[in-house]
Amino acid sequence: MNTRDDEAARTAERVARESYGRLVAYLSARTRDVAGAEDALAEAFATALRLWPDDGVPDNPDAWLLTVARRRQTDALRRNKTRKVGEEHLMLISDELEAAAANPDDIPDRRLGLMFACAHPAIERGMRAPLILQTILGLTAIDIAAAFLISPATMGQRLVRAKARIKEAGIPFRVPDKEELPERLDAVLDAIYAAYAKGWTEIGEAQGNALSSEAIWLGRLLVGLLPDEPEAKGMLALMLYTEARRAARRTADGAYVPLDAQNTRLWDGWQLNLAEDLLRQANAGGPSGRYQIEAAIQSAHMARRLHGAATWPAILQLYDHLFALTKSPVVALNRAAALSEVEGPTAALPALDALGADPRMNDYQPYWAARGHVLAQTSDKSGAIEALTLAIGLSSDNAVRAWLRQRIQALQDG
């Protein structure tokens, strides 16, 4: 790849990372055709990769892509509408997109409206958060399937149906009225946090850091628009508690550092204080929901590490409340880890064994890492090594794999 090819590819990747959701939301706001907007934008990116190496990267790549996508979209609309019925509608869309392409900094950010459209009651409940992840953040069906413990093929099929449903039902892109919020807000919160979690697991990669930053930005936007929603504040607090530890999760040479070994002086005090304030506001604003409880767990971990507070019993109680609320196998796994800290590893093993009966745990890396940790504490070296070996095979992070190998070596040497 020559220098101009490389520059074109890097620019296209950056724009896809930073502007994908904004462009899709704008292109689909009038037509309600999310799939059509994605197709038009995909063709625009393909055209960019073909032309930019020879013509040079434009001064404003977003505007260039919007212009090309708009033309593709308008052509598709003309093919699918009769001239008599669709001409006026086409002209309105064309004029609006032409003006937006000429002034890309003035493009209204309609991502939040699209997010709530994806969370509409007409969309299958289990597909609302995955749909938001794909349309707003451009995640693939494979990435989303892994986050929701569903096969990629099934996820892909359901996403296609969900996008078609937005168009068929004519779902408007807007923040819903207060009485409509409860049914939709959970999916929006779940999608934003799932995006953050994916970015967090890709720590050290520019794409992962950017995804986390985008999720935090969306969380701030949501809190700003819905200041009376305690769960929105709880979710933002949860992300900030985690983000505050980012600099401590890797050594200078990139080695993985678990929470209990992190240098707390590297934690971002400003973000921790902001998270604490948000959590206080959230708890004062109404009954505790999932994100308020998860943020409280992170607050307890912070107090344990920073001040030596004996918070493991409180953490276990919080996981009990969270599991009663969600019935999530991931929460059950975290509860088992907390139980090991409070009552010892032999108390946690039955919970891990029961969880292991869930077939979704077969390919879930954190399950095997946690099982290996607990078995090592019971002196079951062979069982611990087997579990940690499986965790290595399921890890996508080289630093985490290296850390797990060190754990195995320590068991073999001990």
Side-chain angles (χ1 to χ4, degrees):
M1 180 179 290
N2 62 40
T3 302
R4 298 190 75 174
D5 286 342
D6 190 44
E7 181 188 5
R10 284 200 312 270
T11 302
E13 181 182 359
R14 177 183 61 77
V15 174
R17 187 171 62 242
E18 296 175 358
S19 302
Y20 179 87
R22 189 167 68 109
L23 296 176
V24 167
Y26 192 83
L27 288 164
S28 57
R30 272 295 194 94
T31 64
R32 314 287 198 273
D33 186 1
V34 176
E38 289 179 329
D39 290 344
L41 192 56
E43 289 187 39
F45 274 109
T47 303
L49 291 174
R50 188 176 71 252
L51 297 181
W52 288 357
D54 293 328
D55 298 348
V57 174
D59 292 336
N60 195 322
D62 289 35
W64 191 98
L65 288 162
L66 185 60
T67 299
V68 174
R70 183 262 307 167
R71 290 172 184 158
R72 300 290 190 275
Q73 191 182 42
T74 303
D75 288 345
L77 284 166
R78 286 198 178 100
R79 288 194 298 270
N80 294 328
K81 288 180 177 285
T82 65
R83 293 188 63 84
K84 186 174 181 180
V85 173
E87 192 68 32
E88 182 178 352
H89 183 58
L90 284 169
M91 187 170 293
L92 284 171
I93 294 173
S94 179
D95 289 347
E96 183 176 318
L97 291 173
E98 191 75 60
N103 300 285
D105 292 335
D106 297 328
I107 300 174
D109 196 330
R110 290 176 170 161
R111 282 177 292 183
L112 201 59
L114 177 53
M115 291 173 77
F116 277 104
C118 293
H120 192 276
I123 305 296
E124 180 187 346
R125 182 176 294 276
M127 288 309 300
R128 295 173 192 174
L131 185 59
I132 293 168
L133 286 171
Q134 187 167 80
T135 57
I136 300 297
L137 296 166
L139 299 187
T140 67
I142 293 174
D143 289 333
I144 299 168
F148 288 85
L149 305 180
I150 298 175
S151 76
T154 300
M155 179 61 73
Q157 293 168 357
R158 291 180 182 177
L159 284 167
V160 169
R161 290 199 298 269
K163 290 173 194 174
R165 184 62 182 149
I166 289 178
K167 185 178 180 181
E168 291 165 2
I171 296 171
F173 287 21
R174 63 175 177 82
V175 177
D177 296 331
K178 186 174 182 179
E179 60 271 16
E180 300 174 290
L181 267 178
E183 190 170 8
R184 299 206 218 174
L185 185 59
D186 285 350
V188 173
L189 294 172
D190 290 349
I192 292 174
Y193 186 67
Y196 178 81
K198 178 170 173 54
W200 177 252
T201 59
E202 294 179 357
I203 192 166
E205 300 178 13
Q207 184 177 3
N209 292 347
L211 189 57
S212 292
S213 296
E214 180 78 354
I216 289 174
W217 184 88
L218 288 169
R220 289 179 184 276
L221 179 63
L222 197 60
V223 168
L225 289 171
L226 306 171
D228 296 327
E229 288 297 329
E231 271 289 78
K233 290 179 180 176
M235 182 202 62
L236 181 56
L238 174 60
M239 293 191 291
L240 290 172
Y241 278 124
T242 309
E243 190 66 19
R245 302 197 300 265
R246 183 177 288 275
R249 281 202 72 197
R250 291 289 188 272
T251 63
D253 59 359
Y256 171 70
V257 183
L259 174 62
D260 283 348
Q262 287 175 13
N263 180 356
T264 58
R265 289 175 296 180
L266 297 176
W267 290 2
D268 187 326
W270 179 83
Q271 291 192 85
L272 288 176
N273 289 335
L274 180 55
E276 288 279 280
D277 186 52
L278 283 164
L279 181 57
R280 281 193 294 270
Q281 293 178 38
N283 290 341
S288 293
R290 169 198 164 184
Y291 290 106
Q292 291 162 265
I293 296 172
E294 291 201 39
I297 290 169
Q298 293 304 313
S299 179
H301 279 304
M302 183 191 74
R304 181 173 61 85
R305 289 299 325 278
L306 287 176
H307 311 300
T311 57
W312 275 117
I315 290 171
L316 179 59
Q317 289 182 341
L318 287 166
Y319 274 124
D320 286 337
H321 290 306
L322 189 59
F323 184 74
L325 188 67
T326 66
K327 306 301 182 185
S328 163
V330 175
V331 173
L333 176 60
N334 290 327
R335 182 194 174 279
L339 182 63
S340 178
E341 297 291 341
V342 175
E343 298 183 14
T346 54
L349 274 178
L352 287 171
D353 289 340
L355 191 57
D358 187 332
R360 292 174 294 182
M361 294 296 103
N362 292 339
D363 299 323
Y364 190 56
Q365 189 271 352
Y367 172 77
W368 295 106
R371 186 174 182 83
H373 175 71
V374 170
L375 287 172
Q377 291 181 312
T378 66
S379 300
D380 182 356
K381 288 186 179 181
S382 61
I385 289 171
E386 180 182 359
L388 293 173
T389 300
L390 287 168
I392 290 171
L394 293 168
S395 297
S396 58
D397 188 319
N398 289 331
V400 171
R401 284 200 294 266
W403 181 75
L404 290 169
R405 290 191 189 99
Q406 291 173 2
R407 296 287 310 280
I408 290 174
Q409 189 62 53
L411 287 169
Q412 293 172 335
D413 293 342

